Amino acid sequence: MKQKIMSGMRPTGKLHLGHYLGVIDNWVKLQDEYDCYFSVADWHALTTKYDKTETMKEDVLNVVMDWLACGIDPNKATIYVQSLVPETAELHIYLSMITPQNWVERDPTLKDMAKILKSKEGMASQINYGLMGYPVLMTADILTFNADCVPVGIDQVAHVELTRDIARRFNNVYNTDFFVEPQPKLNNCSLICGLDGNKMGKSFNNDIKISDTAEITAKKIMSAITDRSRMRKDDPGHPDECEVAFKYWKIFGDEPEIETVECECEKGLRGCADCKRQLGAKVNERLAKIRERRQYFEEHPEEVEKIIKEGSQKARIEAQKVLAEVRKLIKMY
Ligand code: TRP
Ligand code: SF4
């Protein structure tokens, strides 16, 4: 039997290249070998955005369109929306009973989120009960399918560690070995930085969206930071100090191309503007197929909705099997 993989993403709207290269591309490679469940974590989005739900439906659709465009294949992997699998909420309740409060309180990602919230004004600056439960809900996502592996970015590894702790605790409390302790599976792809050299993020205005057109992408890349010490185009450059453009070359170029860029830059034979124009073309080449597919799904939203519905039904059937066993183990009525 194939090993099971579960992972998810919050519906934050249109995704960017950080999501693609850091997470989705990895999922695409895994879907052939594993039985995969990919969730749009809309309840997780509510933990911080419970009062900004106008765009929820559109955000969910956009995330799924980006996944499909990047090559997640609904015939191989199960794509579903978290709130359409209510069994996860039931499992969340059972898990919340056996999770000591200090386990959630020490979760580093949660601490960061709390800090960000505290810096904001108004209602949202309070940490609500639901947000405290964030890591337990994520545990419920993973254990709903009794997954073996969880492919995530580095920032989510602490959550998966907690999942292992909670799975072990459940097994101890109910004297079973039912739950697998899932392994975090880190992507080995180098993280892509934003156009300004900081972490790529929607709110930093330094991202390239999967759904950006070729023209916008090329234009954005022209704004990427280069070697700041370089004044004229025939000055010798320092690829290692070229903060963004050369890093992108290393992600999108092949070996000989990277070598050529490096060599020409060092000798002052390559101007930054030309270099970035070429880079833009290179990035666009890599994204061409993805854009084509995305456009197709944008024009056929009913197909996307059908994929979501069918995937969620399929996920539910698996979830119900796990929940039946859990209820039995706890000795519920
Ligand atoms: N917490 C994850 C994030 O913010 C999203 C997520 C929700 C997730 N449920 C999950 C990731 C289950 C892996 C497994 O990115
Ligand atoms: Fe960076 Fe290219 Fe300019 Fe060299 S020529 S500093 S690699 S953008």
Side-chain angles (χ1 to χ4, degrees):
M1 215 171 72
K2 277 187 185 173
Q3 283 214 318
K4 273 186 271 182
I5 275 197
M6 194 279 146
S7 196
M9 232 180 239
R10 278 170 297 154
T12 47
K14 293 180 174 170
L15 303 176
H16 53 63
L17 293 190
H19 296 114
Y20 170 50
L21 297 168
V23 186
I24 310 169
D25 198 34
N26 193 28
W27 291 1
V28 172
K29 292 181 188 121
L30 294 167
Q31 65 184 348
D32 289 314
E33 261 178 79
Y34 294 86
D35 189 9
C36 294
Y37 295 87
F38 299 130
S39 160
V40 187
D42 53 352
W43 281 330
H44 276 111
L46 279 190
T47 62
T48 53
K49 292 196 356 179
Y50 55 86
D51 57 346
K52 293 185 201 70
T53 51
E54 298 81 14
T55 59
M56 182 68 95
K57 189 149 195 241
E58 181 187 323
D59 289 346
V60 170
L61 267 177
N62 270 315
V63 167
V64 176
M65 280 185 199
D66 281 331
W67 289 359
L68 294 168
C70 290
I72 303 287
D73 179 348
N75 295 313
K76 293 179 185 165
T78 306
I79 296 174
Y80 75 97
V81 173
Q82 186 182 34
S83 66
L84 295 179
V85 181
E87 285 73 15
T88 297
E90 185 182 349
L91 184 56
H92 179 215
I93 291 186
Y94 299 136
L95 298 178
S96 73
M97 305 302 167
I98 61 161
T99 305
Q101 190 171 324
N102 63 353
W103 286 13
V104 262
E105 280 167 356
R106 70 176 186 225
D107 182 285
T109 315
L110 200 67
K111 278 188 189 161
D112 287 347
M113 286 174 110
K115 239 185 261 162
I116 295 169
L117 278 179
K118 271 195 178 141
S119 67
K120 290 187 181 156
E121 299 281 313
M123 274 264 281
S125 65
Q126 291 181 18
I127 298 176
N128 52 44
Y129 175 61
L131 180 60
M132 282 305 297
Y134 190 105
V136 187
L137 182 57
M138 182 161 150
T139 297
D141 280 337
I142 298 165
L143 299 188
T144 293
F145 303 100
N146 215 353
D148 300 282
C149 297
V150 187
V152 282
I154 186 92
D155 59 317
Q156 298 291 316
V157 171
H159 286 145
V160 184
E161 294 299 335
L162 181 71
T163 298
R164 293 169 59 84
D165 291 341
I166 296 177
R168 195 177 316 127
R169 178 132 178 150
F170 183 97
N171 289 346
N172 282 334
V173 170
Y174 299 108
N175 198 16
T176 174
D177 58 3
F178 179 66
F179 279 126
V180 178
E181 285 177 38
Q183 294 283 349
K185 203 175 171 66
L186 267 178
N187 187 359
N188 47 19
C189 169
S190 57
L191 262 178
I192 187 166
C193 62
L195 294 158
D196 57 1
N198 298 314
K199 185 175 184 238
M200 187 177 279
K202 179 185 177 182
S203 45
F204 309 134
N205 216 351
N206 65 357
D207 63 351
I208 299 173
K209 302 259 193 286
I210 292 168
S211 50
D212 279 343
T213 62
E215 293 71 40
I216 291 178
T217 303
K219 207 164 145 200
K220 284 186 174 177
I221 286 180
M222 291 310 285
S223 77
I225 306 273
T226 62
D227 174 359
R228 293 178 204 258
S229 67
R230 216 172 170 209
M231 292 300 165
R232 289 195 323 246
K233 73 175 194 183
D234 43 7
D235 283 348
H238 309 87
D240 289 340
E241 283 159 44
C242 175
E243 282 179 51
V244 179
F246 191 61
K247 285 190 188 151
Y248 279 26
W249 269 115
K250 284 203 248 178
I251 295 172
F252 293 96
D254 54 32
E255 282 293 336
E257 278 167 338
I258 299 168
E259 255 170 58
T260 307
V261 172
E262 189 168 21
C263 180
E264 289 182 359
C265 173
E266 279 170 350
K267 289 188 183 142
L269 297 172
R270 162 178 286 263
C272 290
D274 273 342
C275 186
K276 289 194 281 188
R277 211 165 290 127
Q278 274 180 33
L279 174 64
K282 195 80 214 162
V283 174
N284 279 331
E285 204 179 287
R286 167 90 174 256
L287 296 178
K289 239 221 181 96
I290 293 176
R291 290 208 179 100
E292 217 174 276
R293 274 195 296 247
R294 201 180 196 285
Q295 186 161 3
Y296 173 84
F297 287 113
E298 276 168 29
E299 287 161 9
H300 299 85
E302 70 292 342
E303 265 182 53
V304 182
E305 290 189 31
K306 186 159 171 261
I307 289 167
I308 291 174
K309 222 178 249 160
E310 288 178 358
S312 302
Q313 261 157 14
K314 204 169 134 216
R316 251 198 113 169
I317 291 169
E318 289 312 306
Q320 279 163 353
K321 290 183 200 157
V322 169
L323 263 290
E325 190 59 31
V326 166
R327 291 179 64 99
K328 208 159 92 195
L329 286 166
I330 305 179
K331 303 189 173 62
M332 300 307 289
Y333 179 72

